[in-house]
Amino acid sequence: MQVIIARSVAEVAVLGAAHCQRLIAQKPHAVLGLATGSTPVALYQQLIKLHRQAGLSFKQCRSFNLDEYIGLAPEHPQSYRYFMQSHLFEHIDIKQRHTYVPDGLMAASAAAANYEQLIQRAGGIDLQILGVGRNGHIGFNEPSSSLVSRTRIKTLTCATIADNQRFFKPGEFQPSLAITMGIGTILQAQKILLLATGATKAKAVKDLIEGPLSASCPASALQMHANSIIIIDTEAAADLQHTEYYQQVKTETELLENIND
Ligand code: GLP
């Protein structure tokens, strides 16, 4: 794993977006794996900026999101489809029919098998963006998820339900089930970019980078991937013990070098 410690949330977004930009320059019909949650919001804003100001075009790209709540319609404001529309898709030139989010209303097993087939038919994912839950989950692969799992329905842990409660109004129905790409599905991406920012992610970041490979920390599965990059800010890096092994962005010049390398 390449671990990059950036100085701020903004730098994490700039570096993450630079990887996307470079991929699309090399492969305009790239297949992007996308994530929801608050972490990738700054990355999506940076991609929108690059689209508007630097001509970054997603016209030929396809995208596959990691997960969706079971029981929420696409137009529900808390659905991940709605999130992607409002935070990214409506602001760039990706074709709506080329954006895929698992179907939270379709019969569960049919939706899961269908999603795996769609990814395969698109030629697989070139670059998978990931956030990480405080308990180390990726997508909605909660602790104890099989490290070779495929797209399926997962029951959310109480911790994840509590963490995501902030997005729902008091008394509003909050799903406890989700459909998610499996860890095995995620590991098939050509390249993986995991972003984490803020002190609340420090433990998960330590466990995923320096802990053992374990289903107790699903994100540690990235240790088995040949091309994964972990971009974190200093707060999320706070618990790491072996900072001498990692690349620390200390100056603006280093940030630019990282983008160009
Ligand atoms: C959700 C999503 C994950 C995301 C996680 C962390 O549970 N399913 O894909 O990584 O939340 O979200 P945040 O970035 O808001 O901390």
Side-chain angles (χ1 to χ4, degrees), residues 8-234:
S8 64
V9 171
E11 280 190 358
V12 169
V14 166
L15 287 174
H19 280 279
C20 300
Q21 187 179 27
R22 198 176 321 155
L23 168 68
I24 295 169
Q26 289 161 358
K27 187 175 180 184
H29 57 288
V31 180
L32 303 172
L34 301 177
T36 51
S38 21
T39 310
V41 170
L43 164 73
Y44 295 153
Q45 283 167 354
Q46 183 65 18
L47 290 177
I48 294 166
K49 190 170 157 195
L50 290 171
H51 169 65
R52 290 188 180 147
Q53 297 176 6
L56 176 63
S57 174
F58 300 82
K59 236 179 216 157
Q60 298 180 55
C61 293
R62 279 167 206 269
S63 71
F64 286 89
N65 262 80
L66 285 166
D67 46 13
E68 179 59 285
Y69 285 116
I70 295 290
L72 296 192
E75 55 280 1
H76 189 290
Q78 302 316 330
S79 76
Y80 283 169
R81 161 58 77 180
Y82 188 96
F83 176 101
M84 291 310 302
Q85 292 300 128
S86 54
H87 285 94
L88 184 65
F89 299 153
E90 284 170 7
H91 311 285
I92 58 174
D93 60 349
I94 196 164
K95 293 188 176 124
Q96 179 71 14
R97 66 175 190 281
H98 288 165
T99 65
Y100 300 88
V101 178
D103 191 330
L105 296 181
M106 207 197 244
S109 56
N114 180 48
Y115 207 60
E116 290 277 338
Q117 276 175 12
L118 287 170
I119 295 172
Q120 271 178 21
R121 262 187 241 141
I125 291 171
D126 292 300
L127 175 64
Q128 176 67 56
I129 307 290
L130 292 178
V132 63
R134 283 198 305 147
N135 61 9
H137 75 240
I138 46 176
F140 268 131
N141 294 284
E142 296 280 34
S144 88
S145 289
S146 157
L147 299 181
V148 293
S149 48
R150 311 301 308 188
T151 303
R152 70 214 181 291
I153 308 302
K154 282 295 287 179
T155 303
L156 306 182
T157 60
C158 297
T160 297
I161 293 172
D163 279 350
N164 290 345
Q165 202 168 23
R166 67 189 192 279
F167 298 110
F168 292 82
K169 293 189 202 110
E172 190 179 14
F173 165 68
Q174 183 183 353
S176 54
L177 295 174
I179 175 169
T180 181
M181 277 187 206
I183 298 175
T185 321
I186 293 169
L187 291 180
Q188 275 185 330
Q190 292 295 324
K191 183 170 173 177
I192 299 181
L193 208 57
L194 182 143
L195 310 180
T197 54
T200 57
K201 300 295 170 67
K203 184 181 181 302
V205 164
K206 186 195 164 23
D207 289 349
L208 88 93
I209 297 172
E210 296 179 342
L213 171 67
S214 164
S216 299
C217 176
S220 68
L222 267 58
Q223 295 173 18
M224 293 290 291
H225 194 273
N227 193 6
S228 64
I229 304 176
I230 317 293
I231 308 180
I232 53 183
D233 69 354
T234 42

